[in-house]
């Protein structure tokens, strides 16, 4: 595809991704993702209880919390505790992360336990929610491994491998993985969450400065599927799967 982007990428190219796991000594699972200039730390914490609406059901729960550090952007933001109220954008993003990662796990096999995925944005340059979901999956899988090792569950209750990426339309051209400059001027901005089978978990798309056709949506989804396939490859690589785990992942593809 033609190159027209400020960072020299082709339209169908991801920003450089560096993914690390086991970066927090205390959490049951953790991952740090450096996705271009967006850096997010994700930790997965296991609690042996569930929200009231699930008590006695035998089912588990996965939830998420999301926050941007004060100097993750060009000018300092106030911490939420200083503002005295939850940021609406952050609330919406953490609900998205929770919904996305719940699609990865069979809750009926988790037992009455909650896994909380904390996503802290260290530095933001577009795509913080998709980075949180993609790294959050790595932290979640390591937490499930720990639960198996500790005898809390007999096997890893994985249903789907989950990853996410942004797409959009800038100057009439569909683009994969928008950086901040592209995101802030895009005519169309979308976030796509997919399984390893290419099924959609969530699609958030908005015509910011223009409408978009079904054909353009199909083009953007094709780009998203291409990018998510690469992200899933990175996830699988960093997780250093055993043979049994590799077979488990193959059932999700």
């Amino acid at each position: 595809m033609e190159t027209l982007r400020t960072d020299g990428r082709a339209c169908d190219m991801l920003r450089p991704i560096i993914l690390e796991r086991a970066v927090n000594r205390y959490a049951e699972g953790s991952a740090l993702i450096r996705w271009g200039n967006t850096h997010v730390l994700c930790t997965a914490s296991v609690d042996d209880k569930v929200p009231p609406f699930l008590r006695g059901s035998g089912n588990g729960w996965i939830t998420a919390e999301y926050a941007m550090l004060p100097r993750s952007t060009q000018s300092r933001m106030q911490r939420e505790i200083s503002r005295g109220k939850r940021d609406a954008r952050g609330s919406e993003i953490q609900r998205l992360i929770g919904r996305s990662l719940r699609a990865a796990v069979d809750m009926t096999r988790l037992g009455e336990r909650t896994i909380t995925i904390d996503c802290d944005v260290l530095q933001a340059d577009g795509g913080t929610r998709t980075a949180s979901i993609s790294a959050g999956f790595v932290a979640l899988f390591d937490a499930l491994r720990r639960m198996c090792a500790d005898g809390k569950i007999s096997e890893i209750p994985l249903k789907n491998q989950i990853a996410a990426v942004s797409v959009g339309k800038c100057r009439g051209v569909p683009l994969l993985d928008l950086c901040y400059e592209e995101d802030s001027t895009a005519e169309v901005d979308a976030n796509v969450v997919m399984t390893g089978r290419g099924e959609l978990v969530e699609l958030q798309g908005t015509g910011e400065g223009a409408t978009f056709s079904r054909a353009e949506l199909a083009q953007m989804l094709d780009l998203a599927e291409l990018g998510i396939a690469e992200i899933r490859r990175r996830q699988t690589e960093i997780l250093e799967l055993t043979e049994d785990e590799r077979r488990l992942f193959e059932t999700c593809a």
Side-chain angles (χ1 to χ4, degrees):
M1 286 191 179
E2 178 191 359
T3 299
L4 50 73
R5 311 176 78 166
T6 56
D7 58 8
R9 282 184 291 147
C11 302
D12 59 352
M13 186 178 293
L14 294 168
R15 290 171 291 174
I17 297 175
I18 299 172
L19 187 55
E20 301 175 63
R21 55 182 277 264
V23 295
N24 182 298
R25 68 182 298 180
Y26 303 113
E28 284 83 353
S30 61
L32 173 65
I33 190 165
R34 297 181 178 90
W35 190 333
N37 288 319
T38 289
H39 302 170
V40 184
L41 172 65
C42 298
T43 57
S45 303
V46 179
D47 196 1
D48 291 327
K49 61 181 181 180
V50 291
F53 71 90
L54 283 174
R55 288 176 191 160
S57 70
N59 294 340
W61 189 243
I62 294 171
T63 188
E65 293 193 10
Y66 168 96
M68 296 179 69
L69 296 188
R71 207 53 211 271
S72 59
T73 54
Q74 289 188 354
S75 58
R76 185 184 184 276
M77 300 184 299
Q78 268 191 304
R79 295 183 189 272
E80 286 187 352
I81 193 169
S82 301
R83 294 196 298 265
K85 63 178 181 179
R86 187 77 179 93
D87 174 70
R89 174 182 175 275
S91 295
E92 184 271 325
I93 290 174
Q94 67 186 31
R95 287 195 294 269
L96 168 65
I97 298 166
R99 287 193 303 269
S100 299
L101 294 179
R102 283 195 291 276
V105 176
D106 183 348
M107 299 297 167
T108 65
R109 295 158 56 203
L110 192 58
E112 291 196 16
R113 300 178 182 89
T114 297
I115 303 177
T116 301
I117 312 296
D118 285 295
C119 303
D120 291 293
V121 179
L122 311 179
Q123 184 171 284
D125 184 36
T128 60
R129 69 191 72 194
T130 55
S132 296
I133 292 166
S134 299
F137 174 81
V138 173
L140 172 62
F141 190 79
D142 265 344
L144 295 171
R145 276 173 162 166
R146 175 75 69 84
M147 292 172 70
C148 276
D150 292 346
K152 292 185 174 183
I153 51 178
S154 59
E155 58 184 2
I156 296 174
L158 189 73
K159 290 196 306 184
N160 293 299
Q161 184 178 359
I162 301 296
V165 75
S166 67
V167 289
K169 184 174 76 170
C170 297
R171 298 191 293 277
V173 179
L175 300 178
L176 173 66
D177 184 20
L178 307 183
C179 65
Y180 175 76
E181 289 80 9
E182 293 167 338
D183 182 53
S184 61
T185 60
E187 296 108 55
V188 178
D189 178 24
N191 296 293
V192 182
V193 187
M194 280 185 175
T195 70
R197 301 181 185 91
E199 298 168 333
L200 289 166
V201 178
E202 186 132 357
L203 168 61
Q204 298 180 332
T206 305
E208 300 279 359
T211 57
F212 56 103
S213 67
R214 286 191 181 188
E216 288 174 319
L217 175 60
Q219 284 182 296
M220 289 187 285
L221 287 175
D222 286 344
L223 285 174
E225 192 164 10
L226 179 71
I228 284 173
E230 174 61 19
I231 297 161
R232 289 192 298 106
R233 187 188 69 78
R234 302 287 185 91
Q235 290 172 328
T236 303
E237 187 177 77
I238 196 66
L239 281 167
E240 299 178 320
L241 302 177
T242 66
E243 284 304 312
D244 286 345
E245 291 170 346
R246 194 169 297 279
R247 284 192 289 270
L248 177 61
F249 268 61
E250 287 171 357
T251 67
C252 299

